[in-house]
Amino acid sequence: MTPGEPLRLDFLPWEYARVGSDEERERQIERQQRLSGTLSLADNVYVAESAAVYCEELRMGERSYIAAHAYVTGHITLGSDTTINPFSAVRGRVTVGDGVRIGAHTSLLAFNHGTAPGEPIFRQKHTSLGITVGDDVWIGSNVTVLDGVTIGPHSIIGAGAVVTKDVPANTIAAGNPARVLRSRSDSGPKPSTDLAGRLSAFTAKARAQADDVLRRCWDGERFVDRPGLDHEPAIRPWCDAVEIADVLLRRTPEGHTRDDLVRRLRARQDPESGLVSPGDLADVGLDVPATDKLSVLEGPASYHILCVGYALQVLDSSFEHPIRTDFAPGELERQLDNLPWARQAWSSGSGIDALGTAVARNLKDHGESGPLETLMGWLLVRADPASGMWGEPHPDDGWLQVVNGFYRLTRGTYAQFGLPLPYPEQAVKTLLAHSNDKRMFSGDGYNACNVLDVIHPLWLAGKQTDVGRADGTRWAEDQLTRILDRWVDGEGFAFAPDGTDDRSIPGLQGTEMWLSIIWLLSDYLGLSDAVGYRPRGVHRPEPLVSPR
């Protein structure tokens, strides 16, 4: 090689493992020794001399390589036989599986700038959700993959695509923005084109009637979940109204300003505990009651962490005060152990959902860290490798409590922080076994909670595994077909549309939850483009924050 001549292996690094000479191997060892950060490099990996590799953490599996003039920074994990080809950029927190091909001039950009008005772009805060690419994926040349995206295993991304949302496993996607074109599995289930048309028609109808739905639940002073029922004034209907207006209309409910809604929601937060006190938002000049008896892990304040926190975020605001999540040494573990896992796994999971959300809100809104490592460590140790879940089934209701608790728990922790589930394959098998329990999906059992608590975990685990995909697809298509017929003109969805009690009356909670469920079912089937909306509140698909 003459001085200044490009190294052949920089551009043809696949030759290194097979025919690399002793001189080339010695040169590669010296190259790797000059890399900075935390390194874990397997045998026969190759990093081009001309590649700009400045990682805080770099992990490379056997026979993986980074080719000429690639730009690689951040926390990068590459599986075995995975390649970053010439002139590509891979930046941020990026996890790539085995056997992945990243084409030349492609960018995986796992970070973003804020876009708040009134602040120059160069002063905006950075956000980073991370990018995950499954095994056996081919990403063509000149592709851009944006932050927060997961590309499922065995997928192909066509050249020049701009990937702005998750790509399901075993599919081919292309375009700007990228859309799923077809399945790679001839024997696998294929989404119905008729179902896509029904989804588009449903969304058009729901948008046209959204103001009618919200007006019906405004009594002149406050939002109520279902009109005509004798319920105590509550905070959640206000939050549901904010989310419905946002997801369908991209604005506040008719007759309500953003500033007034923010004022009402923030006024109920206790400055000491950070919790949202039960009460009415119609009169926000009253003193906020003491919250000594309220807890992050239990009680009426726990769900308010979710619904009020996300309603404020939808309104481009946040809690004024941090939520207290401090525990004495060993106290959090003791409280988690003492939750009623044996018979009430749902309430146990909902407490962890609230705690995880409080930690995430504090980190996002106030830059305060909390007991996340302790919480996630406890969850990892207590997860059942056989079921993938927490808690045990009961003869009276099978897996109901465990599955419903699994949804709440994982929503507030693994999903909200963009972390992988510990046992995704086993969890999917448990979910599908539960989905066949007809008692839980008929009559009063056919309700928003029971369907949500299956589809969200299936959707979440589907980012990591294809196990059970065919059965999950059949179940999701059946649920989607069923719920689209339950919309009541001008009134929305009932929480339990086939039920026998007052939960069969359409209201705000049922409408907000079923709109989110429809999106999750559709996205699991690769049909979310047909829906035409994307939840941004409690049931948003993106993580709230990414742990550092």
Coordinates of all heavy atoms in Angstrom, one line a residue, residues 319-381:
F319 N -46.0 19.3 36.0 CA -46.2 19.6 37.4 C -45.3 20.7 37.9 O -44.1 20.8 37.5 CB -45.9 18.3 38.3 CG -46.9 17.3 38.2 CD1 -46.6 16.0 37.8 CD2 -48.2 17.6 38.6 CE1 -47.6 15.0 37.8 CE2 -49.2 16.6 38.5 CZ -48.9 15.3 38.1
E320 N -45.8 21.5 38.8 CA -45.0 22.6 39.3 C -44.0 22.1 40.3 O -42.9 22.6 40.4 CB -45.9 23.6 40.0 CG -45.2 24.9 40.6 CD -46.1 25.9 41.2 OE1 -47.4 25.6 41.2 OE2 -45.6 26.9 41.7
H321 N -44.3 21.1 41.1 CA -43.4 20.6 42.1 C -43.1 19.1 41.8 O -43.8 18.3 41.3 CB -44.2 20.6 43.5 CG -44.8 21.9 43.8 ND1 -44.0 23.0 44.1 CD2 -46.1 22.3 43.8 CE1 -44.9 24.1 44.3 NE2 -46.1 23.6 44.1
P322 N -41.8 18.7 42.2 CA -41.5 17.3 42.1 C -42.4 16.4 43.0 O -43.0 16.9 44.0 CB -40.0 17.2 42.6 CG -39.5 18.6 42.6 CD -40.7 19.5 42.8
I323 N -42.5 15.2 42.6 CA -43.3 14.2 43.4 C -42.3 13.5 44.4 O -41.3 13.0 43.9 CB -44.0 13.2 42.5 CG1 -44.9 13.9 41.6 CG2 -44.8 12.2 43.3 CD1 -45.4 13.1 40.4
R324 N -42.6 13.4 45.6 CA -41.7 12.8 46.6 C -41.6 11.3 46.4 O -42.6 10.6 46.4 CB -42.1 13.1 48.0 CG -41.9 14.5 48.4 CD -42.0 14.7 49.9 NE -41.1 13.9 50.7 CZ -41.0 13.8 52.0 NH1 -41.9 14.5 52.7 NH2 -40.1 13.0 52.6
T325 N -40.4 10.8 46.1 CA -40.2 9.4 45.9 C -39.0 8.9 46.7 O -38.3 7.9 46.4 CB -39.9 9.1 44.4 OG1 -38.7 9.8 44.0 CG2 -41.1 9.4 43.5
D326 N -38.7 9.6 47.8 CA -37.6 9.3 48.6 C -38.0 8.2 49.6 O -39.0 8.3 50.2 CB -37.0 10.5 49.3 CG -38.0 11.3 50.1 OD1 -39.2 11.4 49.5 OD2 -37.8 11.9 51.1
F327 N -37.1 7.2 49.8 CA -37.4 6.1 50.7 C -36.1 5.9 51.6 O -35.0 6.0 51.1 CB -37.7 4.8 50.0 CG -39.0 4.8 49.2 CD1 -39.0 5.3 47.9 CD2 -40.2 4.4 49.8 CE1 -40.2 5.4 47.2 CE2 -41.3 4.4 49.1 CZ -41.4 4.9 47.8
A328 N -36.3 5.5 52.8 CA -35.2 5.2 53.7 C -34.5 3.9 53.1 O -35.2 3.1 52.4 CB -35.7 5.0 55.1
P329 N -33.3 3.7 53.4 CA -32.6 2.4 52.9 C -33.4 1.2 53.3 O -33.8 1.0 54.4 CB -31.3 2.4 53.7 CG -31.0 3.9 53.9 CD -32.3 4.5 54.2
G330 N -33.7 0.4 52.2 CA -34.4 -0.8 52.4 C -36.0 -0.7 52.5 O -36.7 -1.7 52.4
E331 N -36.5 0.6 52.6 CA -37.9 0.8 52.8 C -38.7 0.5 51.5 O -39.7 -0.1 51.5 CB -38.2 2.2 53.2 CG -39.6 2.6 53.4 CD -40.4 1.8 54.4 OE1 -39.7 1.2 55.3 OE2 -41.6 1.7 54.4
L332 N -38.1 0.9 50.3 CA -38.9 0.7 49.1 C -39.0 -0.8 48.8 O -40.1 -1.3 48.5 CB -38.1 1.3 47.9 CG -38.7 1.1 46.5 CD1 -40.2 1.5 46.5 CD2 -38.0 1.8 45.4
E333 N -37.9 -1.6 49.0 CA -38.0 -3.0 48.8 C -39.0 -3.6 49.7 O -39.8 -4.5 49.3 CB -36.6 -3.7 49.0 CG -35.6 -3.2 48.0 CD -34.7 -2.1 48.5 OE1 -35.3 -1.2 49.2 OE2 -33.5 -2.0 48.2
R334 N -39.1 -3.2 51.0 CA -40.0 -3.7 52.0 C -41.5 -3.4 51.5 O -42.3 -4.3 51.6 CB -39.8 -3.1 53.3 CG -40.7 -3.7 54.4 CD -40.6 -2.9 55.7 NE -41.2 -1.6 55.6 CZ -42.5 -1.4 55.7 NH1 -43.3 -2.4 55.8 NH2 -43.0 -0.2 55.5
Q335 N -41.7 -2.2 51.1 CA -43.1 -1.8 50.6 C -43.5 -2.6 49.4 O -44.6 -3.1 49.2 CB -43.2 -0.3 50.3 CG -43.1 0.5 51.6 CD -43.6 1.9 51.3 OE1 -44.4 2.2 50.5 NE2 -43.1 2.9 52.1
L336 N -42.5 -2.8 48.5 CA -42.8 -3.6 47.3 C -43.1 -5.0 47.6 O -44.1 -5.7 47.1 CB -41.7 -3.5 46.3 CG -41.4 -2.1 45.7 CD1 -40.1 -2.2 44.8 CD2 -42.6 -1.6 44.8
D337 N -42.4 -5.6 48.5 CA -42.6 -7.0 49.0 C -44.0 -7.1 49.6 O -44.6 -8.2 49.5 CB -41.5 -7.4 50.0 CG -40.2 -7.8 49.3 OD1 -40.3 -8.2 48.1 OD2 -39.2 -7.7 49.9
N338 N -44.4 -6.1 50.3 CA -45.7 -6.1 51.1 C -46.9 -5.8 50.2 O -48.0 -5.8 50.7 CB -45.6 -5.2 52.3 CG -44.7 -5.7 53.3 OD1 -44.4 -6.9 53.4 ND2 -44.2 -4.8 54.2
L339 N -46.7 -5.5 49.0 CA -47.9 -5.3 48.1 C -48.7 -6.6 47.9 O -48.0 -7.7 48.0 CB -47.5 -4.7 46.7 CG -46.9 -3.3 46.7 CD1 -46.4 -3.0 45.3 CD2 -48.0 -2.3 47.1
P340 N -50.0 -6.6 47.7 CA -50.8 -7.8 47.7 C -50.7 -8.6 46.4 O -51.6 -8.8 45.7 CB -52.2 -7.3 47.9 CG -52.2 -5.9 47.3 CD -50.8 -5.3 47.6
W341 N -49.5 -9.1 46.2 CA -49.2 -9.8 44.9 C -50.0 -11.1 44.8 O -50.4 -11.5 43.7 CB -47.7 -10.2 44.8 CG -46.9 -8.9 44.6 CD1 -46.1 -8.3 45.6 CD2 -46.7 -8.1 43.5 NE1 -45.5 -7.2 45.1 CE2 -45.8 -7.1 43.8 CE3 -47.2 -8.2 42.2 CZ2 -45.5 -6.1 42.9 CZ3 -46.9 -7.2 41.3 CH2 -46.0 -6.2 41.6
A342 N -50.3 -11.8 45.9 CA -50.9 -13.1 45.9 C -52.3 -13.1 45.3 O -52.7 -14.0 44.6 CB -50.9 -13.7 47.3
R343 N -53.1 -12.0 45.6 CA -54.4 -12.0 45.1 C -54.8 -10.8 44.4 O -55.8 -10.7 43.7 CB -55.4 -12.2 46.4 CG -56.8 -12.5 46.0 CD -57.0 -13.8 45.2 NE -58.3 -13.9 44.6 CZ -58.7 -13.6 43.4 NH1 -57.8 -13.0 42.6 NH2 -59.9 -13.8 42.9
Q344 N -54.1 -9.7 44.6 CA -54.4 -8.4 43.9 C -53.2 -7.9 43.2 O -52.7 -6.8 43.4 CB -54.8 -7.4 45.0 CG -56.1 -7.8 45.7 CD -56.5 -6.8 46.8 OE1 -56.5 -5.6 46.5 NE2 -56.9 -7.3 47.9
A345 N -52.7 -8.7 42.2 CA -51.6 -8.2 41.4 C -51.9 -7.0 40.6 O -50.9 -6.2 40.3 CB -51.1 -9.4 40.5
W346 N -53.2 -6.8 40.3 CA -53.5 -5.5 39.5 C -53.2 -4.3 40.4 O -52.5 -3.4 39.9 CB -55.0 -5.5 39.1 CG -55.3 -4.2 38.5 CD1 -55.2 -3.9 37.1 CD2 -55.8 -3.0 39.1 NE1 -55.6 -2.6 36.9 CE2 -56.0 -2.1 38.1 CE3 -56.2 -2.7 40.4 CZ2 -56.4 -0.8 38.3 CZ3 -56.6 -1.4 40.6 CH2 -56.8 -0.5 39.6
S347 N -53.7 -4.3 41.6 CA -53.4 -3.1 42.4 C -51.9 -2.9 42.7 O -51.4 -1.8 42.8 CB -54.2 -3.1 43.7 OG -53.9 -4.2 44.5
S348 N -51.2 -4.1 42.9 CA -49.8 -4.0 43.1 C -49.1 -3.4 41.9 O -48.2 -2.5 42.0 CB -49.2 -5.4 43.3 OG -49.8 -6.0 44.5
G349 N -49.5 -3.9 40.7 CA -48.9 -3.3 39.5 C -49.2 -1.8 39.3 O -48.4 -1.1 38.8
S350 N -50.4 -1.4 39.7 CA -50.8 0.0 39.5 C -50.0 0.9 40.4 O -49.7 2.0 40.1 CB -52.3 0.2 39.8 OG -52.6 -0.1 41.1
G351 N -49.7 0.4 41.6 CA -48.8 1.2 42.5 C -47.4 1.4 41.9 O -46.9 2.5 42.0
I352 N -46.9 0.3 41.3 CA -45.6 0.4 40.7 C -45.6 1.3 39.4 O -44.7 2.1 39.1 CB -45.0 -1.0 40.3 CG1 -44.6 -1.7 41.6 CG2 -43.8 -0.9 39.3 CD1 -44.1 -3.1 41.4
D353 N -46.8 1.3 38.7 CA -47.0 2.2 37.6 C -46.9 3.6 38.1 O -46.2 4.5 37.5 CB -48.4 1.9 37.0 CG -48.6 2.7 35.7 OD1 -47.7 3.4 35.2 OD2 -49.7 2.5 35.2
A354 N -47.6 3.9 39.2 CA -47.5 5.3 39.7 C -46.1 5.7 40.2 O -45.7 6.8 39.9 CB -48.5 5.4 40.9
L355 N -45.4 4.8 40.8 CA -44.1 5.1 41.3 C -43.1 5.3 40.1 O -42.4 6.3 40.1 CB -43.6 4.0 42.2 CG -42.1 4.2 42.6 CD1 -41.9 5.5 43.4 CD2 -41.7 2.9 43.5
G356 N -43.2 4.4 39.1 CA -42.4 4.6 37.9 C -42.6 5.9 37.2 O -41.7 6.6 36.7
T357 N -43.9 6.2 37.1 CA -44.3 7.5 36.4 C -43.8 8.7 37.2 O -43.4 9.7 36.6 CB -45.8 7.6 36.2 OG1 -46.3 6.4 35.5 CG2 -46.2 8.8 35.5
A358 N -43.9 8.6 38.6 CA -43.4 9.7 39.4 C -41.9 9.9 39.2 O -41.4 11.1 39.0 CB -43.7 9.5 40.9
V359 N -41.2 8.8 39.1 CA -39.7 8.9 38.9 C -39.4 9.5 37.5 O -38.6 10.4 37.3 CB -39.1 7.5 39.0 CG1 -37.6 7.6 38.6 CG2 -39.2 7.0 40.4
A360 N -40.2 9.1 36.5 CA -40.0 9.6 35.1 C -40.4 11.1 35.0 O -39.7 11.8 34.4 CB -40.9 8.8 34.2
R361 N -41.5 11.4 35.7 CA -41.9 12.9 35.7 C -40.9 13.7 36.3 O -40.5 14.8 35.8 CB -43.3 13.0 36.4 CG -44.4 12.4 35.6 CD -45.4 13.5 35.1 NE -44.8 14.1 34.0 CZ -45.1 13.9 32.7 NH1 -46.0 13.0 32.4 NH2 -44.6 14.6 31.7
N362 N -40.4 13.3 37.5 CA -39.4 14.1 38.2 C -38.1 14.3 37.3 O -37.5 15.3 37.3 CB -39.0 13.5 39.5 CG -40.1 13.6 40.5 OD1 -41.0 14.3 40.3 ND2 -40.0 12.8 41.6
L363 N -37.7 13.2 36.6 CA -36.5 13.3 35.8 C -36.8 14.2 34.6 O -35.9 15.0 34.2 CB -36.2 11.8 35.3 CG -34.9 11.7 34.6 CD1 -33.7 12.1 35.4 CD2 -34.7 10.2 34.2
K364 N -37.9 14.0 33.9 CA -38.2 14.8 32.7 C -38.5 16.3 33.1 O -38.0 17.2 32.4 CB -39.4 14.2 32.0 CG -39.8 15.0 30.8 CD -40.9 14.4 30.0 CE -41.4 15.2 28.8 NZ -40.3 15.5 27.8
D365 N -39.3 16.5 34.1 CA -39.8 17.9 34.4 C -38.9 18.7 35.3 O -38.9 19.9 35.2 CB -41.2 17.8 35.0 CG -42.2 17.2 34.1 OD1 -42.0 17.2 32.9 OD2 -43.2 16.7 34.6
H366 N -38.1 18.0 36.2 CA -37.3 18.7 37.2 C -35.9 18.3 37.2 O -35.1 18.8 38.0 CB -38.0 18.5 38.6 CG -39.4 19.0 38.6 ND1 -39.7 20.3 38.7 CD2 -40.6 18.3 38.6 CE1 -41.1 20.4 38.7 NE2 -41.6 19.2 38.7
G367 N -35.5 17.3 36.4 CA -34.1 16.9 36.4 C -33.7 16.2 37.6 O -32.5 16.1 37.9
E368 N -34.6 15.6 38.3 CA -34.3 14.9 39.6 C -34.4 13.4 39.4 O -35.3 12.9 38.9 CB -35.3 15.3 40.7 CG -35.2 16.8 41.1 CD -36.1 17.0 42.4 OE1 -36.6 16.1 42.9 OE2 -36.1 18.2 42.8
S369 N -33.3 12.7 39.8 CA -33.3 11.3 39.8 C -34.0 10.7 41.0 O -34.3 11.4 42.0 CB -31.9 10.8 39.7 OG -31.2 11.2 40.9
G370 N -34.4 9.5 40.9 CA -35.1 8.8 42.0 C -34.7 7.4 42.1 O -33.6 7.0 41.6
P371 N -35.5 6.5 42.7 CA -35.1 5.2 43.0 C -35.3 4.2 41.9 O -35.8 3.1 42.0 CB -36.0 4.8 44.2 CG -37.3 5.6 44.0 CD -36.8 6.9 43.4
L372 N -35.0 4.6 40.6 CA -35.2 3.8 39.5 C -34.4 2.5 39.5 O -34.9 1.4 39.2 CB -34.9 4.6 38.2 CG -35.1 3.8 36.9 CD1 -36.6 3.4 36.7 CD2 -34.7 4.6 35.7
E373 N -33.1 2.6 39.8 CA -32.3 1.4 39.9 C -32.8 0.4 40.9 O -32.8 -0.8 40.6 CB -30.8 1.8 40.1 CG -30.2 2.6 39.0 CD -28.7 2.8 39.2 OE1 -28.2 2.3 40.3 OE2 -28.1 3.5 38.4
T374 N -33.2 0.9 42.1 CA -33.7 0.0 43.1 C -35.0 -0.7 42.6 O -35.2 -1.9 42.8 CB -34.0 0.8 44.4 OG1 -32.8 1.4 44.8 CG2 -34.6 -0.1 45.5
L375 N -35.9 0.1 42.0 CA -37.2 -0.4 41.5 C -36.9 -1.4 40.4 O -37.5 -2.5 40.5 CB -38.0 0.8 41.0 CG -39.3 0.4 40.3 CD1 -40.2 -0.4 41.3 CD2 -40.1 1.6 39.8
M376 N -36.1 -1.1 39.4 CA -35.9 -2.0 38.3 C -35.2 -3.3 38.8 O -35.4 -4.4 38.3 CB -35.2 -1.3 37.2 CG -35.9 -0.1 36.6 SD -37.6 -0.5 36.1 CE -37.3 -1.8 34.8
G377 N -34.2 -3.1 39.7 CA -33.6 -4.3 40.3 C -34.5 -5.2 41.0 O -34.4 -6.5 40.8
W378 N -35.4 -4.7 41.8 CA -36.4 -5.5 42.4 C -37.3 -6.2 41.4 O -37.6 -7.4 41.6 CB -37.3 -4.6 43.3 CG -38.2 -5.3 44.2 CD1 -38.0 -5.8 45.5 CD2 -39.6 -5.8 43.9 NE1 -39.1 -6.4 46.0 CE2 -40.1 -6.4 45.0 CE3 -40.3 -5.6 42.7 CZ2 -41.4 -7.0 45.0 CZ3 -41.6 -6.2 42.7 CH2 -42.1 -6.9 43.8
L379 N -37.7 -5.5 40.4 CA -38.6 -6.1 39.4 C -37.9 -7.3 38.7 O -38.4 -8.4 38.4 CB -39.0 -5.1 38.4 CG -40.0 -4.1 38.9 CD1 -40.3 -3.0 37.8 CD2 -41.4 -4.7 39.3
L380 N -36.6 -7.1 38.3 CA -35.9 -8.1 37.6 C -35.7 -9.4 38.5 O -35.9 -10.5 38.0 CB -34.5 -7.6 37.2 CG -33.6 -8.5 36.4 CD1 -34.2 -8.9 35.1 CD2 -32.2 -7.9 36.2
V381 N -35.4 -9.2 39.7 CA -35.2 -10.3 40.6 C -36.5 -11.1 40.9 O -36.6 -12.3 41.0 CB -34.6 -9.9 42.0 CG1 -34.6 -11.0 43.0 CG2 -33.2 -9.4 41.8

